[in-house]
Amino acid sequence: MRRVFGGVEGGGTKFKLLIGTDPHDIVAQAQIPTTTPDETLERVIAFFRRPDIELAAVGCASFGPIDLDTRSPTYGCITTTPKPGWAYTNVVRTLGSELGVPVAWETDTAGAALGEYTWGAGRHIEVLVYVTVGTGIGGAVLINGRPVHGLLHAEMGHVLVPVADGDTFAGICPYHGQCLEGMASGPALRARTGRPGETIAPDDPIWDLEAAYLGAGLHQIGYVLSPQKIIVGGGVPQTPHLLEKIRRQVTSLNHGYLAHPALSGGIRDYIVPPGLGADAGVIGALELARQSLQSHADQVRP
Ligand code: ZN
């Protein structure tokens, strides 16, 4: 029987599931809609209960905010989500007790960052940032392949950005109004224009404004964390030419202050699209599962 890992990427609208050991060795994959916690997790469990595999561990990269503090009574929970029924759902406990294997737990962006670090555009990058721009804006930082946790986890999408001259949009973040997510996420674009981003022409001037905000966000993230690479994933940056506009904005905001090639001629190697595309999160969850076994082995080794 094959010894494999399970990967789960839990999203607000769908869960992506994977069984395998790496992107080139996938035994099975599926997508299920996110409905109620009970129904969704039941389908996740059913997917992993297969007679032809020996499941060693499961990695779960989830939408959040999530509790990552192993000493906390709510570790393994999605915490204050407005998504009906999901607040304080303990995903780790449910999957662990039903499947009888260790369950590793991370944010969806950290899962994607880990996938990119292991197999994608961020290989061998000591200080790596992954930012996703879609339904929300999130970010994760990995130091030598380990996601950084502190008080909670990074919330790069909620940094404040300077409001562009003449922009009267109030922003859609219920907590901060005009934070990066409030001004530049997919729903913010839709609220500004009345149209989903994928239907807006690539030469529409709205993309210059979008790039101004995303560029300001990446400028701050770059200055604070000094990453060697920033991977920009999610649906919005797939708009033709948008990533190039963001790069120009970051170079321009630097004003030549940091004299590193990454911020001038080398910017195409500094701000990059994901190597694993939209599957970085669920693929990274396989690596999360593998790492959880490794850290367990380290703990029990005398
Ligand atoms: Zn916010």
Side-chain angles (χ1 to χ4, degrees):
M1 202 162 13
R2 299 215 39 210
R3 195 162 183 272
V4 289
F5 299 112
V8 179
E9 182 187 352
T13 57
K14 60 179 181 284
F15 271 54
K16 291 185 180 181
L17 310 173
L18 206 58
I19 295 171
T21 57
D22 69 50
H24 310 291
D25 175 35
I26 292 170
V27 175
Q29 56 187 320
Q31 273 192 30
I32 57 171
T34 307
T35 58
T36 63
D38 284 353
E39 184 181 49
T40 309
L41 295 179
E42 241 168 61
R43 294 183 68 178
V44 172
I45 292 157
F47 175 77
F48 289 122
R49 278 193 179 137
R50 292 167 53 117
D52 57 332
I53 56 161
E54 184 198 340
L55 198 62
V58 170
C60 186
S62 173
F63 71 100
I66 67 174
D67 190 343
L68 287 166
D69 180 355
T70 51
R71 295 158 298 187
S72 159
T74 54
Y75 170 75
C77 287
I78 294 162
T79 59
T80 51
T81 177
K83 196 159 176 56
W86 282 88
Y88 292 96
T89 291
N90 200 317
V91 177
V92 171
R93 194 164 57 210
T94 304
L95 296 185
S97 64
E98 290 295 323
L99 294 169
V101 296
V103 177
W105 181 237
E106 262 303 340
T107 63
D108 45 8
T109 42
L114 191 57
E116 291 292 330
Y117 176 82
T118 313
W119 295 294
R123 270 174 287 182
H124 314 302
I125 303 294
E126 293 151 320
V127 182
L128 175 68
V129 163
Y130 182 97
V131 175
T132 177
V133 186
T135 312
I137 299 181
V141 55
L142 299 191
I143 311 282
N144 293 316
R146 295 282 171 175
V148 174
H149 303 158
L151 197 60
L152 295 161
H153 46 76
E155 281 291 356
M156 297 181 196
H158 292 270
V159 295
L160 299 181
V161 280
V163 177
D165 283 345
D167 187 4
T168 56
F169 185 60
I172 59 154
C173 178
Y175 296 93
H176 318 110
Q178 294 170 314
C179 66
L180 183 58
E181 180 171 303
M183 298 304 268
S185 61
L189 261 175
R190 193 182 186 124
R192 274 181 192 280
T193 62
R195 290 181 290 155
E198 57 271 24
T199 66
I200 303 171
D203 58 353
D204 191 296
I206 193 73
W207 294 116
D208 294 325
L209 193 59
E210 180 71 9
Y213 286 114
L214 293 175
L218 295 194
H219 165 79
Q220 295 188 45
I221 291 163
Y223 272 19
V224 170
L225 294 167
S226 202
Q228 291 135 322
K229 203 175 277 283
I230 301 177
I231 300 174
V232 186
V236 174
Q238 289 175 31
T239 306
H241 318 303
L242 181 61
L243 203 56
E244 195 52 35
K245 285 181 181 181
I246 295 169
R247 290 174 178 135
R248 277 206 294 274
Q249 191 68 23
V250 171
T251 305
S252 154
L253 288 169
N254 183 47
H255 287 292
Y257 173 59
L258 293 181
H260 193 285
L263 287 156
S264 52
I267 193 134
R268 277 179 195 83
D269 295 322
Y270 176 55
I271 296 175
V272 301
L276 303 174
D279 284 334
V282 70
I283 291 171
L286 289 182
E287 175 61 12
L288 262 181
R290 194 195 62 77
Q291 282 188 1
S292 76
L293 279 194
Q294 184 60 46
S295 49
H296 181 70
D298 290 346
Q299 279 163 18
V300 297
R301 198 169 289 147

